[in-house]
């Protein structure tokens, strides 16, 4: 008897927990606001007084006669501290003031990259640093991560977990460079473009393997992803030592940089922001198109329906199996392009395991963005910024009482933030409902 | 013609015409679980052979050298086994969590944290005076604790917030890697780095904390870690199949909802299992630090966690078979350099074969179709019940 009563009680406490969840989340902004106030106080009391009180500058272009914003680090950081205290209070009082305070909080968070840089300048002997250039290198380094996260989106939104992004990118990077080495002898422009195309197709092939394994054979999708990562690692390593090395084309010519017509003529920033390499630019297009197709077209709606409730989708006449195949392979094409970024754009050569966990980072960026294209893009930018910042900080030789902030700490930061996001501390991230579940068509 | 997913007919595989009797025999010897991986290995080796032939090497020569590299002499056999030892631990890390329906792909990070903890404790000043009988258990426990804590974090996150462990463990792998890299490479301030060494690594641990070796002549040497990890595998097998805790773990894995109603604390089980899982990786790392190198170097463990996933999956997440699949895996890696040196075939062929074996075991419908093996009941990987949120 008592055990039955216990189990009933257990059941009740479970259901109570479920009910109380939304209640908990409504108090979350108190913690967030308090954290912002605390941050502001720390900046104001501890950080600002310890910065060098000389003029520093954020430059918009290169040193000879730059356009720049001059400031004194203690004043700048002190003002920022005051700003965070204000935003913190606004956030705590959200219930009374209305939801516009959310924008203040977003502005506060968006301001942090610049604040970090200002603090770094306040501990450096250099008089200024180029912020546009930092943005450009962040965007460049974010390219494979943003592309990879779009791959993840196309796959997970249709209900297939894809942890094989890493392998898909690596396979595409390796086979594309092999094509380049064999076909063009490292000289001809058309061979380069052919190789990019090969990369895209190879990406599609790897994704097709994932799709066949998880849709046709219904095997665990995480295992399918592991298989792809392992296979790509072996295959590219094999091809590198057996084909690429023996072809003698160790390095080639990277994709040429070019300026976007009109936009690159904008004074001061145009020749930095709008002159670049093709895959980097293509990334913006892919993110935009992903958003457009996935959220503004009937086909995109079908894709998402298959990821949320495939049985309901089937009932209204959607061919779930075919939609899943198409969406996963489309994602694979995108990962292929990301692979080409590694071996044909950022460096014109292939090394073993050169993607170096970018596929997993892409996954993190996608989750950071709560399975939305623009959110994922923001996540990719965060990772790109962390990557670009650490080289910049090494250049600035920032030190705090003889302790140089190790680059590893900056590299760690985005991963830690992603965990906080996944754990629901910074808004809740919910994956597509039918993700990871095999689907069998009726009849 | 039926494809691989045909319903289980009465006719057994093999030559015996008497259906019922031979079915009993097959079940008694439980040949089925071995049959599919075995056929998968044959297929994968065939594909690898074709690849080798394409690059213009006689596959038989290449495989000959591979086998010679794996088991050609007593020293090579010992070296192969020694190479395989840590894989047992990293595979157990996946397997234990897998039973509870959790996908721990964080062995990579748990190995690092376990290794660095073991090395850190092993370099404490007072450890130098300790006899082996005290020093070794301390270092091993430190490794298990380090790995266990790193494993418990995703468990806690899963239990408290519902954050999926696949994601959090991937994040923790990177955080662990950067953290450990800083610990052993930082010059200013020096944290754990051996300043006398040019390579970033910790100081050598106390002599008394080194695991005794069976054989020094092999590369790497064969040490007591083998016994420790085999014992760990046996302990896990007993724990999961013979204790009430194991029953709870399996129940949570099969049906968290039912477990809840049966009065099992699902959250507590999840945290404990993840901690245990991380401890297995930590044990493997401690055994490497204390047995093989005597210092901790992050690079030693690169990829070991991901290999562990594949090894555990080959063994269907069962602790005892993991020992054998780990030895197969490690020996292939250990034998490959000789093949590269003598036959000029890239060691990555081995990686391809391994990936294909895993692929074919996971998608066993392919193997069953080709070799006409009937479907057994309960392929753990066919349905992905593991990924459902609780």
């Amino acid at each position: 008897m008592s055990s039955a009563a216990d189990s009933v009680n257990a059941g009740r406490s479970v259901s109570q927990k479920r009910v109380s969840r939304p209640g908990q989340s409504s108090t979350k902004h108190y913690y967030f606001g308090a954290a912002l106030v605390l941050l502001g106080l720390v900046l104001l009391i501890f950080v600002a007084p310890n910065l060098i009180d000389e003029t520093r500058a954020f430059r918009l272009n290169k040193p000879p006669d730059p356009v720049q914003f001059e400031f004194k680090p203690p004043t700048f950081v002190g003002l920022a501290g005051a700003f965070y205290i204000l935003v913190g209070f606004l956030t705590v009082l959200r219930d009374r003031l209305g939801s516009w305070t959310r924008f203040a909080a977003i502005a506060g968070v968006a301001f942090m990259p610049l604040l970090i840089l200002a603090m770094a300048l306040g501990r450096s002997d250099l008089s200024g640093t180029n912020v546009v250039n930092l943005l450009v290198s962040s965007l460049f380094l974010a390219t494979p991560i943003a592309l990879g996260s779009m791959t993840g989106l196309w796959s997970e939104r249709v209900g297939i977990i894809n942890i094989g992004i890493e392998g898909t990118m690596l396979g595409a990077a390796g086979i594309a460079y092999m094509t380049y080495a064999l076909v063009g002898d490292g000289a001809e422009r058309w061979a380069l473009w052919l190789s990019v195309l090969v990369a895209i197709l190879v990406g599609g092939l790897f994704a097709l393997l994932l799709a066949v394994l998880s849709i046709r054979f219904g095997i665990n999708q995480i295992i399918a992803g592991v298989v792809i990562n392992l296979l790509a690692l072996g295959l590219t390593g094999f091809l590198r030592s057996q084909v690429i090395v023996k072809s003698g084309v160790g390095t080639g010519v990277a994709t040429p940089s070019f300026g976007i017509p009109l936009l690159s003529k904008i004074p001061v920033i145009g020749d930095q922001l709008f002159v670049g390499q093709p895959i980097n630019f293509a990334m913006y297009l892919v993110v935009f198109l992903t958003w457009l197709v996935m959220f503004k077209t009937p086909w995109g709606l079908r894709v998402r329906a298959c990821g949320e409730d495939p049985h309901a989708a089937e009932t209204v006449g959607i061919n779930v199996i075919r939609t899943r195949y198409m969406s996963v392979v489309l994602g694979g094409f995108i990962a292929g392009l990301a692979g080409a970024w590694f071996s044909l754009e950022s460096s014109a050569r292939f090394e073993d395991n050169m993607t170096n966990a970018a596929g997993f980072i892409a996954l993190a960026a996608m989750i950071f963005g709560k399975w939305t294209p623009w959110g994922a893009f923001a996540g990719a930018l965060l990772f790109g910024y962390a990557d670009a910042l650490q080289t910049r900080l090494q250049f600035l030789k920032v030190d705090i009482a003889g302790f140089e902030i190790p680059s590893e700490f900056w590299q760690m930061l985005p991963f830690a933030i992603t965990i906080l996001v996944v754990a629901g501390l910074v808004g809740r991230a919910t994956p597509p409902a039918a993700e990871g579940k095999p689907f069998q068509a009726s009849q | 013609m039926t494809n691989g997913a045909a319903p289980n007919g009465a006719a057994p595989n093999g030559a015996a015409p008497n259906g019922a009797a031979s079915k009993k025999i097959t079940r008694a010897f439980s040949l089925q679980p071995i049959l599919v991986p075995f056929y998968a290995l044959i297929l994968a080796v065939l594909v690898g052979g074709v690849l080798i032939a394409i690059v213009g090497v006689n596959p038989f020569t290449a495989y000959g050298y591979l086998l010679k590299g794996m088991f050609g002499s007593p020293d090579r056999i010992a070296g192969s086994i020694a190479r395989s030892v840590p894989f047992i631990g990293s595979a157990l890390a996946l397997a234990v969590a897998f039973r509870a329906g959790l996908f721990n792909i964080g062995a990579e990070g748990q190995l690092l944290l376990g290794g660095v903890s073991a090395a850190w404790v092993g370099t404490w000043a007072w450890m130098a005076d300790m006899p082996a009988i005290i020093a070794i258990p301390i270092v091993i426990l430190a490794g298990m604790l380090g790995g266990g804590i790193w494993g418990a974090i995703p468990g806690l996150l899963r239990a408290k917030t519902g954050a999926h462990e696949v994601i959090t463990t991937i994040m923790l792998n990177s955080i662990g890697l950067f953290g450990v890299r800083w610990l052993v490479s930082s010059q200013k301030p020096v944290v754990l780095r051996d300043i006398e060494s040019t390579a970033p690594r910790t100081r050598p641990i106390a002599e008394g904390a080194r695991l005794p070796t069976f054989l020094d002549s092999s590369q790497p040497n064969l040490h007591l870690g083998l016994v420790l990890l085999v014992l760990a595998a046996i302990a896990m097998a007993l724990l999961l199949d013979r204790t009430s805790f194991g029953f709870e773990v399996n129940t949570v894995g099969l049906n968290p909802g039912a477990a809840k109603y049966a009065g099992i604390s699902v959250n507590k089980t999840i945290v404990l299992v993840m901690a245990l899982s991380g401890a297995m990786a930590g044990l493997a790392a401690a055994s490497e630090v204390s047995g093989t190198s005597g210092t901790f170097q992050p690079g030693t463990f690169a990829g070991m966690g991901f290999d562990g996933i594949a090894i555990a999956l080959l063994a269907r997440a069962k602790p005892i078979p993991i020992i054998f699949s780990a030895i197969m895996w490690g020996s292939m890696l250990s034998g490959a350099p000789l093949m590269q040196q003598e036959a000029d075939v890239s060691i990555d062929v081995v990686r391809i074969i391994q990936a294909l074996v895993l692929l074919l075991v996971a998608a066993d419908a392919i193997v069953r179709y080709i070799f006409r093996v009937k479907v057994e009941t309960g392929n753990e990987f066919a349905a992905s019940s593991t990924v459902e949120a609780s």
Side-chain angles (χ1 to χ4, degrees):
Chain A
M1 271 310 277
S2 72
S3 72
D6 279 352
S7 61
V8 170
N9 278 339
R12 191 167 294 153
S13 74
V14 169
S15 60
Q16 274 170 354
K17 233 181 222 166
R18 287 241 171 89
V19 173
S20 66
R21 266 249 160 88
Q24 281 176 345
S25 70
S26 74
T27 61
K28 204 173 284 164
H29 65 274
Y30 291 122
Y31 296 109
F32 185 56
L36 281 178
V37 171
L38 192 70
L39 172 69
L41 287 173
V42 169
L43 288 176
L44 207 56
I45 298 169
F46 296 106
V47 180
N50 290 314
L51 298 177
I52 300 167
D53 196 10
E54 287 168 26
T55 307
R56 291 285 182 270
F58 288 146
R59 297 192 182 118
L60 298 182
N61 54 1
K62 285 195 185 102
D65 193 28
V67 177
Q68 59 185 26
F69 167 73
E70 287 181 356
F71 62 93
K72 296 205 166 177
T75 327
F76 188 92
V77 173
L79 284 174
F83 170 65
Y84 279 119
I85 293 172
L86 179 70
V87 172
F89 278 116
L90 286 179
T91 307
V92 171
L93 296 174
R94 176 178 294 168
D95 293 341
R96 289 194 197 163
L97 295 174
S99 59
W100 63 269
T101 56
R102 195 181 288 269
F103 290 105
I106 291 172
V109 172
F111 182 64
M112 280 179 190
L114 216 53
L115 177 69
I116 292 173
L117 203 60
M119 288 194 286
L121 276 175
R123 299 294 313 178
S124 166
D125 292 330
L126 273 77
S127 65
T129 195
N130 186 338
V131 285
V132 177
N133 178 277
L134 185 65
L135 176 67
V136 168
S137 54
S138 303
L139 284 166
F140 183 69
L141 292 169
T143 303
I145 300 166
L147 287 173
S149 63
M150 293 306 125
T151 307
L153 272 180
W154 279 112
S155 187
E156 305 220 342
R157 276 290 186 158
V158 84
I160 307 289
I161 295 177
N162 189 351
I163 64 166
I165 302 172
E166 171 78 4
T168 313
M169 284 186 185
L170 185 66
I175 295 176
Y177 189 77
M178 185 185 78
T179 313
Y180 177 74
L182 290 182
V183 173
D185 279 343
E188 316 211 23
R189 190 49 60 79
W190 62 266
L192 189 63
W193 300 123
L194 179 76
S195 309
V196 174
L197 189 69
V198 166
I200 294 172
L201 292 178
V202 169
L205 270 181
F206 271 93
L208 186 64
L209 178 62
L210 175 78
V212 170
L213 288 176
S214 47
I215 300 170
R216 163 75 178 79
F217 291 108
I219 75 168
N220 187 307
Q221 295 164 9
I222 292 174
I223 297 176
V226 171
V227 166
I228 285 175
N229 291 339
L230 214 59
L231 193 64
L233 197 61
L235 194 64
T236 54
F238 181 75
L239 292 176
R240 192 187 72 83
S241 56
Q242 299 291 350
V243 183
I244 296 175
V245 172
K246 285 175 183 161
S247 76
V249 188
T251 54
V253 182
T255 50
S257 69
F258 66 95
I260 293 178
L262 292 179
L263 287 174
S264 59
K265 298 282 182 288
I266 297 173
V268 185
I269 57 167
D271 61 338
Q272 296 178 77
L273 274 178
F274 300 106
V275 175
Q277 287 170 289
I279 300 175
N280 185 9
F281 286 138
M283 178 263 287
Y284 308 125
L285 198 66
V286 168
V287 174
F288 176 74
L289 286 178
T290 297
W291 168 77
L292 193 72
V293 174
M294 196 180 276
F295 290 89
K296 300 290 162 192
T297 66
W299 189 69
L301 182 62
R302 275 178 225 147
V303 165
R304 287 180 290 137
C306 294
E308 294 295 339
D309 192 338
H311 294 285
E314 189 187 37
T315 314
V316 297
I318 298 170
N319 186 337
V320 175
I321 303 288
R322 200 180 65 194
T323 311
R324 285 194 165 178
Y325 269 111
M326 287 169 72
S327 187
V328 170
V329 172
L330 176 63
F333 290 144
I334 299 172
L337 188 63
W341 182 88
F342 283 98
S343 63
L344 300 171
E345 179 153 314
S346 83
S347 65
R349 63 173 181 282
F350 182 76
E351 290 158 22
D352 284 346
N353 197 18
M354 81 184 302
T355 47
N356 203 7
F360 292 115
I361 299 173
L363 212 58
M366 176 192 75
I367 295 153
F368 176 89
K370 301 175 186 173
W371 284 269
T372 63
W374 296 113
F377 178 63
L381 248 182
L382 175 70
F383 281 98
Y385 175 74
D387 215 358
L389 185 69
Q390 53 128 342
T391 37
R392 182 60 59 96
L393 291 184
Q394 275 164 12
F395 178 71
L396 289 174
K397 293 198 179 66
V398 179
D399 83 311
I400 294 155
F403 178 72
E404 235 175 89
I405 296 182
S407 63
E408 286 91 350
F409 283 23
W410 297 110
Q411 289 172 304
M412 235 188 259
L413 198 63
F415 293 101
I417 296 175
T418 306
I419 287 191
L420 293 181
V421 171
V422 182
L425 297 176
V426 192
R428 196 157 187 84
T430 323
E435 187 183 85
K437 293 170 193 158
F439 170 80
Q440 268 177 342
S442 36
Q443 23 55 76
Chain B
M1 172 154 294
T2 56
N3 66 14
N8 205 347
N13 58 74
N18 186 343
S22 69
K23 195 173 178 182
K24 243 178 216 165
I25 292 168
T26 324
R27 201 166 279 166
F29 289 99
S30 176
L31 269 176
Q32 279 274 353
I34 302 173
L35 226 46
V36 168
F38 178 70
Y39 285 143
L41 184 63
I42 290 179
L43 267 183
V45 165
L46 278 177
V47 175
V50 171
L51 267 179
I52 295 171
I54 287 175
V55 297
V57 178
N58 183 348
F60 293 102
T61 328
Y63 281 140
Y65 282 117
L66 178 63
L67 278 176
K68 209 171 161 193
M70 288 160 75
F71 307 120
S73 69
D75 272 357
R76 288 202 180 273
I77 295 175
S80 291
I81 294 174
R83 179 85 196 261
S84 314
V85 167
F87 289 128
I88 301 176
S90 66
L92 283 175
L94 182 108
V96 175
F98 201 81
R99 285 295 185 89
L102 298 164
F103 227 114
N104 173 22
I105 51 181
E108 200 80 14
Q110 290 145 16
L111 281 163
L112 288 172
L113 267 288
V116 85
S117 315
W120 175 51
V121 171
T123 50
W124 283 351
W126 56 266
M127 286 289 285
D129 309 326
M130 283 290 141
I133 194 91
I134 299 171
I136 290 174
I138 290 178
V139 166
I140 296 293
L141 279 178
M144 291 177 75
L145 203 64
I149 290 171
W150 210 241
I153 296 171
L156 271 173
L157 287 170
R158 171 74 188 255
K160 294 284 169 201
T161 70
H164 202 291
E165 74 283 354
V166 166
I167 295 152
T168 49
T169 49
I170 289 176
M171 299 303 112
L172 284 170
N173 282 345
S174 298
I175 294 174
L177 179 64
F178 289 126
V180 165
R181 206 183 268 169
W182 175 71
L183 285 176
V184 300
S185 69
S186 172
Q187 305 264 26
K188 203 177 79 165
V190 173
V191 189
L192 291 177
R193 179 169 183 151
D194 181 4
I195 348 164
E196 286 150 36
S197 152
T198 47
R201 62 166 195 230
T202 62
R203 281 179 291 132
I205 64 169
E207 223 22 69
R210 297 291 304 264
L211 288 174
T213 54
F214 302 132
L215 205 63
D216 281 329
S217 51
S218 65
Q219 194 53 251
N221 58 24
L222 191 59
H223 52 79
L224 193 68
L226 173 68
V227 178
L228 288 177
L229 281 148
V230 168
L231 282 178
I234 295 170
M236 286 305 118
L238 293 176
L239 183 74
L240 291 172
D241 294 335
R242 295 274 182 275
T243 65
S244 57
F245 175 71
F247 175 74
E248 290 182 6
V249 169
N250 286 315
T251 313
V252 169
L254 290 171
N255 191 339
K260 236 172 234 168
Y261 281 95
I264 297 169
S265 168
V266 175
N267 286 348
K268 200 177 99 186
T269 311
I270 286 177
V271 178
L272 279 177
V273 162
M274 283 302 289
L276 188 64
S277 173
M280 287 299 112
L283 172 64
S287 130
E288 278 302 280
V289 166
S290 152
T292 308
S293 55
T295 64
F296 171 80
Q297 225 174 334
T300 323
F301 300 101
M304 207 178 264
F306 282 108
D307 279 344
I309 300 173
I311 292 165
L313 296 177
L314 277 185
R316 302 257 148 119
K318 293 191 177 73
I320 303 296
I322 277 179
I323 301 172
F324 300 100
S325 80
I327 287 177
M328 187 210 79
W329 200 271
S331 332
M332 283 177 94
L333 291 178
S334 159
L338 187 74
M339 176 183 70
Q340 179 162 37
Q341 192 186 318
E342 298 291 331
D344 193 28
V345 171
S346 155
I347 51 172
D348 296 291
V349 157
V350 166
R351 287 266 165 218
I352 298 175
I353 293 174
Q354 289 172 336
L356 287 176
V357 172
L358 179 62
L359 172 93
L360 293 170
V361 169
D364 61 354
I366 304 170
V367 176
R368 288 175 194 286
Y369 177 74
I370 294 173
F371 291 97
R372 305 283 186 277
V373 182
K374 293 286 181 230
V375 179
E376 76 189 286
T377 45
N379 176 3
E380 293 89 338
F381 311 132
S384 66
S385 59
T386 55
V387 203
E388 283 172 38
S390 62

